[in-house]
Amino acid sequence: MFSLSNTVQPQVTVPLSHLINAFHSPKNTSVSISASVSQNQHRDVVSEHEPPSSEPILNLRDLGLSELKIGQIDQLVDSLLPGICKDKNVSSHWHTSHVSAQSFFENKYGCLDIFSTLRSSCLYRQHSRTLKRICSDLQYWPVFIQSRGFKTLKSRTRRLQSTSERLAETQHTAPSFVKGFLLRDRGSDVESLDKLMKTKNIPEAHQDAFKTGFAEGFLKAQALTQKTNDSLRRTRLIVFILLVVGIYGLLKNPFLSVRFRTTTGLDSAVDPVQMKNVTFEHVKGVEEAKQELQEVVEFLKNPQKFTVLGGKLPKGILLVGPPGTGKTLLARAVAGEADVPFYYASGSEFDEMFVGVGASRIRNLFREAKANAPCVIFIDELDSVGGKRIESPMHPYSRQTINQLLAEMDGFKPNEGVIIIGATNFPEALDNALIRPGRFDMQVTVPRPDVKGRTEILKWYLNKIKFDQSVDPEIIARGTVGFSGAELENLVNQAALKAAVDGKEMVTMKELEFSKDKILMGPERRSVEIDNKNKTITAYHESGHAIIAYYTKDAMPINKATIMPRGPTLGHVSLLPENDRWNETRAQLLAQMDVSMGGRVAEELIFGADHITTGASSDFDNATKIAKQMVTKFGMSEKLGVMTYSDTGKLSPETQSAIEQEIRILLRDSYERAKHILKTHAKEHKNLAEALLTYETLDAKEIQIVLEGKKLDVR
Ligand SMILES: Nc1ncnc2c1ncn2[C@@H]1O[C@H](COP(=O)(O)OP(=O)(O)OP(=O)(O)O)[C@@H](O)[C@H]1O
Ligand SMILES: [Zn+2]
């Protein structure tokens, strides 16, 4: 209750809210103050039986304002509330307000925020302590800050400034659901409307307006609440879904899943694969290997036969050979022939970044296999898990996996019906403990196929495509020395693609040759524009090689000559060994050197010593390599005899110069031999060069026709 004394006379008490109202109605300030004062005299004199109201009772004297005259209050109000627009046509009756207390006053009196106005007024500085107390008390004044739950979602006293500031701020920044979230206050329940009216002494005349305002505000707030609740619900749903997805992702990610798997032993499931559709029939060109594995197949088909005889089969079989020669295929064929489950594992997948995963995977693999015996366990790239164990502080656990493998191999008896087949390209890298008897004690070599094996493999894959009857797999096989099964399969595949691109019905020799050259020398560089001069030099250079090969007895037969640039070369002459040369004679080696010299000799004879080109560099590398092997490896030097020199860098200077001297003599003699042949067959050389310029590529037959002086059919 606020007492307003107008000199020393008896105290007059008025509700502070009325004082505030009075402050706020600048037009009829004096009247309203006196009216409100008189109006409330009878009503607001506190009767002894009336319970004291909860409002703070302030005394002007306490506030240091007692000497204020009524008239002075006008100035006080005027100077207190400079922000009030005097001429604002603010009627004194109630507005129906739909928003909070703060904006309620804004609606009614046009003043934004009394406290900040007070603060900004000059008087505040003079009586700042008093007014500060008024401000701070007023802020908790329930009437002043209407506790209308419907206005701000919660009904509880709030600090007006912070409310207005927060409202102003969130008004502009936060979406509705955030607004509700942020501005939501926790607090006491909203009082009932009647009780509210009673405690706030709403005048009779204003009660309807108040109720209307309350109801409208309630509906608005309801809508806002609904919107806020909806958006809150949506937010919660989104957060929940994200949470579920996040947890699922975490469980899926290898890091956790591996750790989870390792701890609970739920290691990668080892699924056997039935290899019914792969048999030895699918593996070509490696007959010896197939024979060695035949007995393993017999054992897997009926292990009893072996146990009765008491024989012991090897537990582990090691397939050794270059990449792509059919090791995996052979292992699958063994399981397919015996019709037993095939467990495939690659050595590299055993070792993960987490300690113990490799060993646990090996344990699971063997446990599964034993449960499904008889069966085949195939470990590809065995060298990556069974490599030599290194004692290094960097990899203290690298031995765990291989030790586990050794333990598992020792853990079952030879005739338990489980065969472990390992494949490696690098047998020398394997740990010795792995290849001792009782472990991988049977070694099967799977070499690159020879010309016969290559022919078989080519036939096998040609039968899978449409090819012309003129195709001779043997010719292709002779031109693909050193190709593995996988490379031959790729060659046939490339030829089929080439025929398809050219719109052909079937694959012919041309496509096969094309794909062979592509694999050997790289794709054709048709886009390269070679000027005529260079073309002519290339034509005579390549013809030089071809003439030497044609007229040298021990040289390999010519397969093809071309001046089509491929890869780094501008032209190429390919030779075709009758079959794989397991051993080469001295004459054959010399012949190869002479063929290599043919290019440079042709350039010198045709264009002169000043116009020889760099195009012969790879030819000289090849010739020098052959000569060096003849002197240091094959004992084909009269002067140095049969001693071999593996590391010439460590030899005495005399020996080194002797070796170089011998190599030099071999090369010089070879050059002279080539020169002699080309001088002798200058005419054929010229014809062949011109035919190459005309046709670009000539095969063996066409070359023969030209060298015999016959006319080539026009293509
Ligand atoms: N001797 C062969 N007979 C038939 N096809 C073969 C032969 N060798 C290889 N292939 C073909 O090449 C493919 C790859 O062969 P495979 O994977 O068995 O070779 P690998 O020796 O295991 O190679 P890596 O050592 O790289 O694992 C096979 O799927 C098969 O199509
Ligand atoms: Zn050359």
Side-chain angles (χ1 to χ4, degrees):
M1 198 68 76
F2 188 84
S3 62
L4 184 66
S5 78
N6 47 0
T7 53
V8 289
Q9 295 309 320
Q11 293 296 325
V12 175
T13 56
V14 286
L16 185 60
S17 53
H18 291 272
L19 179 74
I20 302 282
N21 288 344
F23 271 129
H24 275 277
S25 46
K27 278 195 83 115
N28 44 12
T29 311
S30 52
V31 174
S32 68
I33 285 185
S34 54
S36 63
V37 164
S38 59
Q39 197 180 16
N40 289 300
Q41 243 160 7
H42 63 286
R43 197 170 65 202
D44 288 322
V45 173
V46 180
S47 63
E48 43 289 357
H49 55 273
E50 203 176 79
S53 85
S54 60
E55 294 173 37
I57 293 183
L58 294 170
N59 186 311
L60 269 187
R61 186 179 302 117
D62 302 348
L63 299 174
L65 301 172
S66 55
E67 63 285 3
L68 272 182
K69 301 279 175 292
I70 287 286
Q72 277 172 324
I73 286 183
D74 286 355
Q75 290 100 30
L76 178 68
V77 168
D78 288 349
S79 50
L80 262 182
L81 309 170
I84 291 291
C85 37
K86 295 269 181 295
D87 50 9
K88 181 156 187 171
N89 177 14
V90 181
S91 66
S92 63
H93 65 278
W94 283 79
H95 280 275
T96 46
S97 133
H98 299 293
V99 285
S100 68
Q102 174 59 13
S103 36
F104 173 76
F105 277 103
E106 182 188 338
N107 289 349
K108 188 164 172 48
Y109 303 112
C111 75
L112 261 183
D113 174 348
I114 180 170
F115 294 103
S116 46
T117 316
L118 270 176
R119 278 204 178 76
S120 60
S121 74
C122 56
L123 195 77
Y124 193 80
R125 280 184 290 285
Q126 289 156 19
H127 302 269
S128 62
R129 206 164 50 76
T130 322
L131 287 173
K132 208 177 277 177
R133 199 169 47 225
I134 290 180
C135 291
S136 58
D137 292 332
L138 279 177
Q139 284 168 20
Y140 297 101
W141 189 270
V143 174
F144 196 70
I145 307 162
Q146 307 293 339
S147 59
R148 295 183 193 138
F150 66 87
K151 297 292 177 213
T152 56
L153 302 181
K154 282 284 172 195
S155 66
R156 202 173 66 99
T157 57
R158 273 182 311 153
R159 301 181 63 79
L160 194 63
Q161 282 86 335
S162 58
T163 307
S164 57
E165 278 149 19
R166 268 193 299 169
L167 264 183
E169 189 194 306
T170 37
Q171 218 101 41
H172 300 301
T173 52
S176 59
F177 75 94
V178 175
K179 198 186 298 175
F181 218 65
L182 291 179
L183 298 183
R184 201 174 57 157
D185 282 336
R186 286 156 194 63
S188 61
D189 297 335
V190 176
E191 299 153 36
S192 74
L193 187 53
D194 292 345
K195 202 169 148 225
L196 194 66
M197 306 261 274
K198 281 204 192 68
T199 48
K200 304 307 164 203
N201 311 326
I202 307 289
E204 212 56 49
H206 300 160
Q207 288 198 0
D208 294 353
F210 184 81
K211 281 182 181 163
T212 321
F214 185 93
E216 282 175 10
F218 182 80
L219 293 175
K220 288 252 174 212
Q222 199 68 348
L224 177 66
T225 319
Q226 189 58 39
K227 214 160 62 175
T228 312
N229 287 345
D230 291 352
S231 53
L232 272 183
R233 211 172 294 119
R234 266 199 307 276
T235 315
R236 285 198 199 112
L237 185 66
I238 293 167
V239 167
F240 176 71
I241 291 170
L242 289 177
L243 218 59
V244 168
V245 169
I247 292 169
Y248 179 73
L250 279 175
L251 285 182
K252 270 304 196 196
N253 101 344
F255 180 84
L256 280 187
S257 60
V258 164
R259 197 178 59 216
F260 175 73
R261 203 168 50 195
T262 321
T263 45
T264 56
L266 298 179
D267 211 340
S268 60
V270 182
D271 306 319
V273 181
Q274 287 300 30
M275 302 306 304
K276 282 195 175 51
N277 57 349
V278 178
T279 62
F280 281 143
E281 187 48 37
H282 295 84
V283 191
K284 301 293 181 194
V286 282
E287 297 316 316
E288 299 78 14
K290 283 198 296 194
Q291 264 138 41
E292 288 188 60
L293 293 170
Q294 195 58 46
E295 66 181 23
V296 176
V297 172
E298 288 310 313
F299 165 70
L300 287 168
K301 276 182 175 168
N302 47 3
Q304 296 70 19
K305 191 171 91 177
F306 284 76
T307 37
V308 159
L309 293 172
K312 265 173 73 177
L313 256 177
K315 268 189 238 171
I317 298 159
L318 191 59
L319 301 180
V320 179
T325 49
K327 297 184 292 296
T328 309
L329 197 62
L330 269 172
R332 291 180 192 278
V334 167
E337 289 283 344
D339 191 17
V340 295
F342 178 81
Y343 289 90
Y344 177 89
S346 164
S348 51
E349 77 186 33
F350 279 114
D351 268 339
E352 292 272 349
M353 60 198 286
F354 306 108
V355 170
V357 173
S360 75
R361 285 186 177 167
I362 290 214
R363 260 196 310 278
N364 281 301
L365 178 65
F366 277 81
R367 186 170 54 236
E368 290 265 325
K370 280 184 203 159
N372 294 290
C375 64
V376 171
I377 296 178
F378 177 68
I379 303 178
D380 202 355
E381 299 163 36
L382 186 66
D383 42 279
S384 59
V385 71
K388 286 192 177 8
R389 284 169 287 181
I390 42 174
E391 288 294 348
S392 89
M394 297 292 285
H395 307 276
Y397 301 106
S398 65
R399 307 164 54 101
Q400 261 192 12
T401 310
I402 182 172
N403 289 344
Q404 185 65 43
L405 180 60
L406 297 173
E408 292 297 339
M409 289 189 78
D410 296 344
F412 65 92
K413 293 181 287 308
N415 295 340
E416 214 169 301
V418 177
I419 292 285
I420 305 155
I421 301 179
T424 179
N425 307 136
F426 312 101
E428 64 284 352
L430 290 176
D431 190 288
N432 295 329
L434 213 52
I435 46 182
R436 75 153 172 71
R439 290 181 179 149
F440 284 99
D441 47 9
M442 178 178 169
Q443 193 158 325
V444 176
T445 308
V446 186
R448 289 181 192 284
D450 58 11
V451 65
K452 187 164 156 299
R454 290 198 299 276
T455 310
E456 271 183 48
I457 292 172
L458 283 168
K459 280 182 186 158
W460 173 253
Y461 288 109
L462 281 170
N463 287 332
K464 293 174 187 250
I465 62 168
K466 281 189 193 156
F467 68 98
D468 187 79
Q469 290 318 312
S470 65
V471 166
D472 179 354
E474 198 184 331
I475 295 221
I476 303 295
R478 285 166 52 196
T480 49
V481 175
F483 273 47
S484 66
E487 286 161 337
L488 293 169
E489 179 186 18
N490 178 39
L491 185 149
V492 173
N493 197 32
Q494 293 274 348
L497 291 175
K498 171 76 179 156
V501 165
D502 295 349
K504 296 248 179 95
E505 294 290 308
M506 51 184 71
V507 171
T508 64
M509 277 303 276
K510 189 164 171 283
E511 282 77 34
L512 288 165
E513 287 286 347
F514 173 85
S515 53
K516 182 191 79 173
D517 290 344
K518 186 177 171 187
I519 292 169
L520 283 173
M521 296 176 289
E524 284 181 340
R525 297 187 304 158
R526 286 193 176 282
S527 58
V528 173
E529 282 304 313
I530 309 240
D531 57 286
N532 279 334
K533 181 163 176 276
N534 267 307
K535 237 179 193 172
T536 309
I537 294 173
T538 306
Y540 276 94
H541 177 110
E542 298 307 334
S543 307
H545 290 306
I547 294 287
I548 305 295
Y550 191 79
Y551 291 106
T552 302
K553 185 168 89 45
D554 293 292
M556 281 189 230
I558 298 174
N559 176 37
K560 171 167 83 168
T562 176
I563 57 171
M564 162 62 71
R566 274 182 181 282
T569 62
L570 291 177
H572 174 76
V573 171
S574 61
L575 304 177
L576 199 61
E578 294 82 5
N579 50 42
D580 293 339
R581 288 182 171 181
W582 301 106
N583 291 307
E584 293 189 284
T585 62
R586 182 191 169 86
Q588 283 171 338
L589 293 172
L590 292 175
Q592 282 182 46
M593 284 169 64
D594 297 356
V595 171
S596 302
M597 297 296 180
R600 165 58 62 85
V601 172
E603 288 176 11
E604 189 187 319
L605 292 177
I606 303 294
F607 306 106
D610 295 343
H611 297 90
I612 52 178
T613 69
T614 55
S617 59
S618 57
D619 299 330
F620 295 146
D621 287 343
N622 188 35
T624 307
K625 195 176 122 205
I626 295 171
K628 188 173 178 191
Q629 285 179 335
M630 288 173 74
V631 171
T632 59
K633 226 169 144 184
F634 303 144
M636 293 180 173
S637 152
E638 283 82 23
K639 188 174 175 193
L640 291 172
V642 296
M643 185 171 175
T644 59
Y645 304 89
S646 55
D647 186 353
T648 49
K650 291 184 183 140
L651 299 173
S652 67
E654 297 72 31
T655 313
Q656 279 190 20
S657 70
I659 289 174
E660 282 165 15
Q661 187 60 20
E662 285 296 289
I663 293 172
R664 218 171 270 118
I665 292 169
L666 284 171
L667 292 172
R668 189 198 56 215
D669 295 349
S670 174
Y671 195 90
E672 292 310 321
R673 285 193 297 272
K675 198 178 257 183
H676 173 70
I677 293 175
L678 280 176
K679 278 182 179 171
T680 313
H681 300 279
K683 189 166 153 283
E684 292 82 356
H685 183 204
K686 184 169 173 301
N687 294 345
L688 188 54
E690 281 161 5
L692 274 176
L693 284 169
T694 313
Y695 298 103
E696 205 174 65
T697 301
L698 299 170
D699 63 16
K701 282 202 186 76
E702 290 162 335
I703 290 171
Q704 191 170 359
I705 293 168
V706 170
L707 295 183
E708 286 165 357
K710 295 175 195 148
K711 268 269 166 243
L712 269 180
D713 339 343
V714 179
R715 279 182 198 165

